[in-house]
Amino acid sequence: MRIILLGSPGVGKGTEAKFICNRFAIPQISTGDMLREAIRDGSGLGRKVKKVMDQGALVTDDIIIDLVKDRIKKDDCKQGYLFDGFPRTIPQAEALAQQNIHIDSVIEIKVEDDQIISRLAGRRVHQTSGRIYHITNNPPKRKNLDDLTGEPLIQRDDDKEETIKQRLEVYRNQTEPLVNFYQKLRKEGVISYRSIDGNKMYEKLSTEILNYLENL
């Protein structure tokens, strides 16, 4: 099973990716993971990646595609793989197709922007342990204090409303066009595509996604 997960920041892609990967025994692959692994391996491609990143430059799509091609050759990808946060742009998606990197299914998780802002802006974190609370859905026993240590909770910069809006704007401009790209491929019979309402508890969402994939 070779899968792409699409959706705005905060729709729950990371949580659902874990359920899918466990069910189908496939690895979750992200751009960040590939970059770190290539650098750690010290391959020729890894050294090229490190040089680009050390210079503070952006890694080109050509390098990203080369990383993908190397990554999916590894043994843990024999049963398939799940791309999380990749591709991000139409050129990356087109490059995948041109390199004959096959995708079985694209799943889009849809949540309205105001719901995403509410989800993320309400999160509070205990910095030392990583425990996560939500001011409405999962509040601490005492306001802004960790239940176990009594230490103050923080709001991460990524969870501040202005930052969330900026991230959503980037998604709208760069990544949302992939929806039309893959819907077109579905109409051509190239891939399976499913848009799923993400406004439900993650257990129900994962059940719907897994049922869909198991019946392809």
Side-chain angles (χ1 to χ4, degrees):
M1 188 68 69
R2 292 155 292 195
I3 303 164
I4 290 173
L5 272 186
L6 287 181
S8 322
V11 299
K13 295 191 300 298
T15 299
E16 297 309 321
K18 290 180 173 60
F19 283 111
I20 296 169
C21 291
N22 287 337
R23 172 61 184 82
F24 294 102
I26 58 176
Q28 178 181 350
I29 300 174
S30 73
T31 304
D33 290 341
M34 287 188 295
L35 292 171
R36 287 188 290 271
E37 188 172 338
I39 292 171
R40 187 171 59 249
D41 289 348
S43 62
L45 186 55
R47 290 192 296 273
K48 183 186 294 186
V49 169
K50 186 176 188 303
K51 182 177 179 181
V52 171
M53 295 181 71
D54 285 348
Q55 293 172 344
L58 292 176
V59 178
T60 65
D61 285 349
D62 287 344
I63 292 178
I64 293 294
I65 295 299
D66 285 342
L67 287 172
V68 170
K69 289 164 63 178
D70 280 358
R71 179 65 183 86
I72 64 178
K73 290 177 184 176
K74 296 192 175 182
D75 288 344
D76 64 342
C77 291
K78 286 182 177 179
Q79 302 300 317
Y81 38 83
L82 182 147
F83 288 133
D84 176 14
F86 175 84
R88 290 185 183 275
T89 63
I90 294 293
Q92 288 181 352
E94 290 174 338
L96 279 181
Q98 290 165 0
Q99 293 294 326
N100 294 316
I101 298 173
H102 184 66
I103 300 298
D104 296 307
S105 183
V106 175
I107 297 174
E108 178 197 9
I109 302 176
K110 294 186 70 172
V111 177
E112 296 300 321
D113 284 2
D114 59 344
Q115 291 297 317
I116 291 171
I117 292 169
S118 175
R119 284 184 186 185
L120 298 184
R123 288 200 301 202
R124 299 294 183 271
V125 180
H126 179 239
Q127 197 164 17
T128 304
S129 68
R131 280 186 289 274
I132 297 177
Y133 300 83
H134 191 281
I135 58 175
T136 303
N137 302 330
N138 180 35
K141 294 173 183 175
R142 290 181 293 165
K143 187 175 180 180
N144 290 325
L145 296 177
D146 179 56
D147 286 350
L148 298 184
T149 66
E151 294 172 342
L153 303 176
I154 65 165
Q155 184 182 36
R156 294 183 299 205
D157 288 341
D158 276 359
D159 291 339
K160 292 179 178 176
E161 184 169 339
E162 193 55 41
T163 304
I164 297 166
K165 289 179 178 178
Q166 290 172 358
R167 292 168 65 195
L168 289 171
E169 185 65 21
V170 170
Y171 176 80
R172 296 283 172 256
N173 292 334
Q174 293 187 359
T175 307
E176 195 170 50
L178 290 171
V179 170
N180 291 331
F181 179 87
Y182 284 117
Q183 286 180 341
K184 182 174 182 290
L185 291 183
R186 177 191 61 185
K187 290 176 182 177
E188 294 171 358
V190 176
I191 62 166
S192 167
Y193 185 99
R194 180 71 173 266
S195 179
I196 293 180
D197 180 7
N199 288 300
K200 52 178 69 79
M201 294 297 291
Y202 69 84
E203 296 96 338
K204 292 183 179 179
L205 181 59
S206 62
T207 297
E208 183 175 348
I209 291 173
L210 293 177
N211 285 343
Y212 162 68
L213 290 172
E214 288 168 351
N215 287 286
L216 284 178

